[in-house]
Amino acid sequence: MDQQNDQINGTVDAPQADNDHPLRHRPAVKKRLAKYGATFEPPRDDAIIYPDDDSHSFFAKGRDFESAYVNHKYTDKEKEILGTYESLDYLPSQSLVYRHWLKRQPRRLDWDRWIMMGLIGFTVGFIGFLLHQIIDVIAEAKWDKARDLIKAGELVIAWLWVTGYSLLFLLASSGMVVFLRPSAGGSGIPELIGFLNGTVVRHIFNIKTMIVKFFSCCFAVGCGMPIGPEGPMIHLGSLVGAGMSQFKSDTLRFRLPFFERFRNSEDRRNFISAGAAAGVASAFGAPVGGLLFSMEEVSSFWNMKLSWQIFFCSMVSTFTTDLFNSAFEAFKYQGDFGLFKTDKYILFQVKNGIAVNILAFIPTVVLGVLGGTLGALFTFVNLKIARSRKKILSKITQPWKQQLLRISEPALILLLFSTMSVFIPKAFPCSKYTCIHGVNGQVSPNCLSDKQNPLHIEKTVEQYTCPDGVTITYNNSSFTNKTFNQVATLLFVTGEQAIHHLFSRNTHLEFDYPALVTVLVVYFFMACWASGTSISSGLVVPMLFIGGLYGRIVGRAMVSFFGVFTENESYWSWMDPGAFALIGAASFFGGVSRLTMSLTVIMMEITNDIQFLLPIMVAIMVAKWVGDFVTHPLYHALLELKCIPFLDSEPVVFHGDTSLINLELYSAHHVMRKDPITLHQKEPVQYIANLLLNTTHGGFPVVKMSKNNEDQIFDGLILKQVAICKPLSGDNPRSLLPPSHLHHLPHLRTAAFDCG
């Protein structure tokens, strides 16, 4: 031990007085130690970290273009960034101090845990209700005014209105993120995954982050950016779980004397997992999908008891959102409070189910391959844009110029997207309404509907600049010379409304190839670019939209080759473009996220189309297999891009470039140091202070001498946050009692303070 003292801080003859130890004279270091548990600050929210030693080529293996079965290759600079993060334990320590603390807690049968789950579910559900209502208010005001202007022939004025109105909300959205809380940008899912895996990520569970996240998402989605609210909703749910379960706030500086027994790492992480599940349940109306999403994607620790509790939390969240949505639309009271209508509580309700034919699995596999390929391409392009953004921002030294560029980027995207949404439909001709006369007649133009055949064009399609026309009804048929614009139907509405059009059944001829291909190209690259900017944004709606587009193209091709078959021809009715749009949406979602179980259930819950369960499962599995051969899943790739440490459940290690190592042939001692830095039960303050200043370890083993004083015996582990207590505070350790930080050290003579 003396040798180690010499190596770290020189020879120590006697303990140094408390007033003279190094930390007393370094207030900045003392503050960082107390706040972060380290002598250095973790990466800042707005830090632009671009590794200057990244010399990899554009398609370099092991970076953005690499199989999911191969670990990501970090540069030396990125490894240094990885080392700046602190880790935290999941399970509470089993020290004597912790046991004494447990004895003083009142005995309960977990009723308070169920109450907390219910409170989190209700709060998340109500936040989800508010989020969607505000988005609807902003979006409806924008598009209603634009339709009136276009109908009056004022196309340029309509463009000015759409652009100016949208920019107003977007600048507020990005400004809040850039100036108030940069960590509120994006979806927050990668940071959530990293935290639940044991990495301390700065400011992701802060009340300020929650407020900025909420309003930034409302404004960005409502103004028409090609993004969705579901990702931020998951982060908002986890924020509620992290804050409400603790009944305290360091930002607001209050600490209520309730639910104090939940102030430990295990319970806090469990409630965060529950909040994330509740966020999914509220956003999609999918309580089972929320439970499975939390288990499959974000949580690293799980048990059966937690499953029941999170299921209850998700159920309460869905019920709360649906209850308030039943009576309000854009904050306008519609009546029928408590009446759960299917078109409201099922997000993308499929009203006409059709039978599945075994032949349908052939195009389903094709859609799965397309989903995996395009999903991997989306991930790759998104990562390349993110790296380019970091590289450009890192070259700007003045903070105000960085902030200006961060605000300007989403504004440029919105300007381009709004311009294309208004003017691209003008390049396409007006389309006639079509239907079939009689039970099995011919497809006829200028036919609005026929009661004997379900083929039709939706009444909610966009007229755009097309003439009004007139409609007449004769016997069982309706005829019209009114026309509509296919591209405007997809671009001149919100993403969710466009998805409704794509999923619609018995609308075989509603969209043609030029319109679908044009919107697919535009939306693919706009969504890919927008998802990494300084706004609160999610990717679920864009993923469903993009997948629905190419799924509809495949379905339209089936109609072109084999003809129109509606419900009247039951054996061939599976060749419906709307059904293939649903399968395509699931395949692209799976190709980007690589989710399986949770995604399948979510797709069932948001469409209520149980007949297509098997095709959806096949498409998702094929998309995952194909995508895994090309890139890592998007959220895990973003973890690697942001250099947030993440330990996979099954790490893959290669020796060299091709030789795969079988980890079962190795044990822990193969990766352990032979000369660890240790502490005795009594140590000089100067030695501990220098350890904290000059090392980055999260904890130190404590040893004691054997009876013959020849060998050192491991006696426990002390975390860094406990080791800093005596240098920072002279308080009695028993009075402050942080039981979750002491690991089986009944005799260690050091003070402690509450790091919570």
Side-chain angles (χ1 to χ4, degrees), residues 174-463:
S174 59
M176 286 189 293
V177 171
V178 171
F179 293 108
L180 298 180
R181 183 64 82 203
S183 59
S187 67
I189 295 178
E191 291 82 359
L192 172 62
I193 295 172
F195 179 86
L196 292 178
N197 193 250
T199 301
V200 179
V201 184
R202 189 176 183 183
H203 288 159
I204 62 167
F205 296 123
N206 185 280
I207 185 66
K208 188 175 179 181
T209 304
M210 181 177 177
I211 295 173
V212 172
K213 190 92 178 180
F214 178 84
F215 286 104
S216 176
C217 179
C218 290
F219 296 160
V221 177
C223 75
M225 283 288 281
I227 57 174
E230 287 77 13
M233 192 63 223
I234 295 170
H235 188 192
L236 287 170
S238 65
L239 276 159
V240 172
M244 181 167 286
S245 63
Q246 305 300 292
F247 262 69
K248 69 183 183 69
S249 172
D250 294 333
T251 303
L252 301 179
R253 297 181 180 179
F254 73 84
R255 184 185 296 256
L256 300 178
F258 307 106
F259 301 103
E260 291 182 333
R261 77 184 188 108
F262 296 148
R263 293 173 186 172
N264 61 78
S265 177
E266 180 184 9
D267 284 322
R268 187 167 186 248
R269 277 206 245 182
N270 288 344
F271 286 121
I272 290 173
S273 296
V280 175
S282 174
F284 294 107
V288 181
L291 167 67
L292 293 176
F293 176 86
S294 182
M295 179 184 70
E296 183 178 0
E297 182 67 3
V298 300
S299 300
S300 296
F301 297 89
W302 200 264
N303 58 67
M304 185 56 65
K305 186 176 182 180
L306 182 63
S307 299
W308 284 106
Q309 294 169 345
I310 292 182
F311 179 72
F312 172 71
C313 181
S314 300
M315 179 191 70
V316 173
S317 176
T318 302
F319 175 80
T320 303
T321 302
D322 290 344
L323 180 64
F324 287 101
N325 281 337
S326 67
F328 293 93
E329 187 172 330
F331 287 118
K332 298 176 183 177
Y333 184 69
Q334 306 294 317
D336 297 330
F337 182 79
L339 179 62
F340 294 163
K341 299 178 181 178
T342 55
D343 58 342
K344 282 194 173 183
Y345 81 89
I346 298 179
L347 193 60
F348 303 114
Q349 166 76 357
V350 175
K351 298 180 180 179
N352 298 313
I354 56 178
V356 177
N357 192 304
I358 191 172
L359 297 175
F361 288 95
I362 298 175
T364 293
V365 172
V366 174
L367 286 173
V369 174
L370 281 174
T373 305
L374 292 177
L377 176 63
F378 186 93
T379 300
F380 180 79
V381 174
N382 182 270
L383 294 174
K384 288 303 180 184
I385 292 175
R387 291 193 188 278
S388 299
R389 182 185 298 114
K390 284 177 173 286
K391 186 175 182 179
I392 294 172
L393 289 172
S394 65
K395 294 180 179 179
I396 302 175
T397 56
Q398 296 176 295
W400 70 271
K401 290 184 178 180
Q402 280 191 357
Q403 293 171 339
L404 179 62
L405 185 58
R406 284 181 161 185
I407 292 178
S408 301
E409 184 186 11
L412 174 61
I413 296 172
L414 181 65
L415 178 64
L416 293 174
F417 190 66
S418 297
T419 301
M420 288 186 287
S421 298
V422 174
F423 289 112
I424 284 182
K426 191 67 176 176
F428 289 80
C430 295
S431 302
K432 296 181 179 180
Y433 285 76
T434 55
C435 72
I436 293 179
H437 294 300
V439 179
N440 294 307
Q442 297 295 320
V443 176
S444 174
N446 297 327
C447 177
L448 185 62
S449 64
D450 191 302
K451 295 181 180 179
Q452 300 180 68
N453 195 291
L455 183 71
H456 67 288
I457 299 294
E458 293 177 288
K459 295 181 180 179
T460 55
V461 292
E462 289 295 324
Q463 187 177 346

Side-chain angles (χ1 to χ4, degrees), residues 447-516:
C447 177
L448 185 62
S449 64
D450 191 302
K451 295 181 180 179
Q452 300 180 68
N453 195 291
L455 183 71
H456 67 288
I457 299 294
E458 293 177 288
K459 295 181 180 179
T460 55
V461 292
E462 289 295 324
Q463 187 177 346
Y464 192 59
T465 58
C466 300
D468 289 335
V470 294
T471 301
I472 60 174
T473 301
Y474 179 74
N475 291 335
N476 293 322
S477 301
S478 296
F479 301 91
T480 183
N481 60 353
K482 185 168 62 173
T483 54
F484 69 99
N485 190 290
Q486 296 182 17
V487 175
T489 301
L490 295 174
L491 288 181
F492 222 64
V493 292
T494 64
E496 292 184 0
Q497 291 171 330
I499 294 171
H500 274 287
H501 289 303
L502 293 173
F503 286 1
S504 61
R505 299 291 170 82
N506 295 312
T507 56
H508 298 59
L509 305 177
E510 188 167 305
F511 300 105
D512 293 325
Y513 301 112
L516 293 171

Side-chain angles (χ1 to χ4, degrees), residues 519-593:
V519 177
L520 174 61
V521 173
V522 169
Y523 211 89
F524 185 94
F525 288 102
M526 286 291 101
C528 194
W529 185 8
S531 63
T533 54
S534 297
I535 54 176
S536 178
S537 60
L539 275 175
V540 175
V541 167
M543 286 190 289
L544 295 176
F545 192 8
I546 294 168
L549 284 167
Y550 70 73
R552 189 94 187 185
I553 292 173
V554 172
R556 189 66 175 80
M558 300 290 290
V559 172
S560 298
F561 286 128
F562 303 105
V564 176
F565 295 96
T566 61
E567 296 172 3
N568 293 343
E569 298 88 15
S570 59
Y571 189 83
W572 301 103
S573 62
W574 57 271
M575 287 191 290
D576 190 311
F580 286 107
L582 171 61
I583 298 173
S587 71
F588 190 75
F589 199 158
V592 173
S593 66

